[in-house]
């Protein structure tokens, strides 16, 4: 199998944690690991070598090479038998990693790198790749060494087939159960009767029963095909009446990995990354794999 798992590194602790998880993923998949550092300085035409007045190991290129060497050491310590290599690639991180995704089995990045603004919960590289990557993108965030089942968000959208397949495959690789979660609710939101008036939130038992039956049908049908292809995966299919964002965030606290499609049923057609996927990148308590339609394993 030639398509590697790719890990982006910039020397930050977040990216080094991503390299370690990428090493584990590469072993599970029987793939090599490629560690990539996007080297932006050549584009600015500044001196890259050590200063005559400074230490011989100084300079921007030496610093970048040291970042790659540290990442390779972390990967080899995590998976000593793994085939690992690293590279400096000239370009902006967003463009470099998006290009790497064209020939990768999986791209793994940290939630925030050295260039991120302090107030952001997740960096622009992670969000950009989740929206534009041509293979599944795994963003390492949440609690350290998250353990638990593979959590799969299911909404029945036609574009969600790739995420379903990825979730089942991950559960099988890891030898873990799969928690398939579909969220629904039966509350009518307030409706304006006239300017300044509002109907209260309403509940109707008949509507409740109909919506619950539809949610159960949707979840069952979505899981039917993958269940046949992955008969050894234990599936815990769950319906949750919370709104989808709080439901997934709560479930992520007990999961080892959250798998979600890039866009669900409620997304705007022009958006490459939906609001639920973005919310998970910011708030999930475990690593998040975002799988876009067509972001399938490449031909080797």
């Amino acid at each position: 199998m030639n398509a590697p798992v790719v890990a982006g590194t910039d020397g930050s602790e977040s990216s080094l944690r991503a390299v370690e998880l990428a090493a584990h993923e590469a072993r599970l998949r029987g793939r090599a690991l490629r560690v990539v550092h996007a080297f932006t300085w050549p584009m600015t035409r500044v001196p890259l070598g050590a200063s005559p007045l400074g230490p011989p190991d100084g300079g921007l290129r030496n610093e970048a090479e040291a970042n790659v060497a540290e990442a390779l050491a972390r990967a080899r310590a995590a998976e000593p038998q793994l085939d690992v290599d690293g590279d400096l690639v000239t370009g902006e991180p967003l463009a470099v990693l998006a290009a790497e995704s064209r020939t990768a089995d999986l791209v793994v990045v940290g939630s925030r790198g050295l260039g991120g603004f302090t107030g952001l919960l997740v960096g622009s590289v992670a969000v950009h790749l989740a929206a534009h990557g041509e293979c599944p993108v795994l963003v390492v965030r949440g609690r350290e060494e998250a353990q638990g089942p593979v959590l799969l968000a299911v909404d029945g959208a036609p574009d969600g087939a790739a995420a379903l397949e990825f979730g089942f495959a991950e559960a099988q690789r890891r030898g873990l159960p799969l928690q398939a979660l579909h969220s629904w609710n039966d509350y009518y939101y307030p409706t304006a009767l006239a300017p300044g008036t509002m109907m209260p939130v309403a509940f109707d038992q008949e509507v409740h029963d109909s919506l619950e039956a539809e949610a159960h049908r949707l979840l069952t049908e979505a899981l039917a095909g993958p269940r046949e292809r992955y008969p050894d995966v234990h599936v815990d299919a769950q319906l949750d009446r919370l709104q989808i964002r709080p439901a997934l965030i709560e479930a992520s606290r007990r999961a080892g990995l959250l798998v979600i499609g890039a866009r669900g049923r409620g997304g705007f057609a022009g958006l490459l990354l939906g609001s639920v996927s973005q919310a998970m990148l910011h708030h999930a308590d475990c690593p998040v794999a975002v799988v876009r339609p067509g972001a399938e394993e490449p031909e080797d």
Side-chain angles (χ1 to χ4, degrees):
M1 292 186 179
N2 298 321
V5 171
V6 172
T9 184
D10 64 359
S12 66
E13 186 56 36
S14 176
S15 72
L16 292 174
R17 185 181 164 201
V19 166
E20 291 176 335
L21 184 56
H24 295 314
E25 285 290 331
R27 175 183 58 80
L28 289 172
R29 295 160 182 269
R31 305 273 177 166
L33 175 64
R34 173 172 164 79
V35 176
V36 174
H37 177 92
F39 194 41
T40 60
W41 291 110
M43 297 186 298
T44 66
R45 302 185 184 278
V46 299
L48 303 178
S51 167
L53 304 178
D57 60 349
L60 295 171
R61 182 173 294 279
N62 285 335
E63 180 183 357
E65 290 175 347
N67 286 339
V68 173
E70 182 180 8
L72 292 175
R74 292 279 282 263
R76 290 172 178 141
E79 295 290 347
Q81 305 303 316
L82 193 64
D83 180 10
V84 182
D85 70 1
D87 197 10
L88 292 182
V89 180
T90 299
E92 293 291 336
L94 302 178
V96 167
L97 290 174
E100 292 285 333
S101 75
R102 296 171 193 154
T103 55
D105 183 59
L106 176 73
V107 175
V108 186
V109 294
S111 57
R112 288 185 60 246
L114 292 175
F117 293 99
T118 304
L120 296 180
L121 295 176
V122 66
S124 59
V125 172
V127 174
H128 177 90
L129 279 177
H132 297 278
E134 296 189 29
C135 70
V137 174
L138 178 56
V139 178
V140 182
R141 58 156 297 106
R143 63 196 190 281
E144 295 280 345
E145 299 182 2
Q147 296 183 0
V150 174
L151 173 62
L152 174 63
V154 180
D155 69 357
D159 286 349
L164 285 167
E165 193 75 15
F166 184 93
F168 272 80
E170 280 296 306
Q172 180 166 281
R173 289 186 185 108
R174 297 163 180 245
L176 292 173
L178 179 77
Q179 180 184 357
L181 180 63
H182 175 66
S183 181
W184 67 286
N185 67 75
D186 53 6
Y187 291 94
Y188 297 94
Y189 289 95
T191 303
L193 298 177
T197 66
M198 191 75 73
M199 284 282 287
V201 173
F203 173 81
D204 183 281
Q205 185 64 48
E206 183 177 349
V207 171
H208 166 93
D209 293 343
S210 174
L211 290 174
E212 184 176 28
E214 174 62 17
H216 185 269
R217 181 198 63 78
L218 184 152
L219 181 58
T220 300
E221 290 184 358
L223 298 176
R227 271 180 154 157
E228 290 184 3
R229 292 189 292 276
Y230 298 90
D232 295 332
V233 173
H234 174 74
V235 180
D236 178 16
Q238 295 184 1
L239 296 176
D240 197 316
R241 287 180 61 197
L242 287 174
Q243 290 186 346
I244 184 62
R245 294 177 189 83
L248 286 173
I249 292 170
E250 177 61 29
S252 74
R253 295 180 180 135
R254 300 176 296 278
L257 172 69
L258 167 60
V259 179
I260 191 167
R263 286 185 55 248
R265 284 180 176 272
F268 292 100
L271 298 180
L272 293 177
L273 190 63
S275 61
V276 174
S277 304
Q278 291 207 44
M280 295 310 103
L281 292 177
H282 285 276
H283 300 292
D285 198 30
C286 66
V288 178
V290 179
V291 186
R292 294 180 56 235
E296 315 243 336
E297 294 186 358
E299 295 291 335
D300 290 320

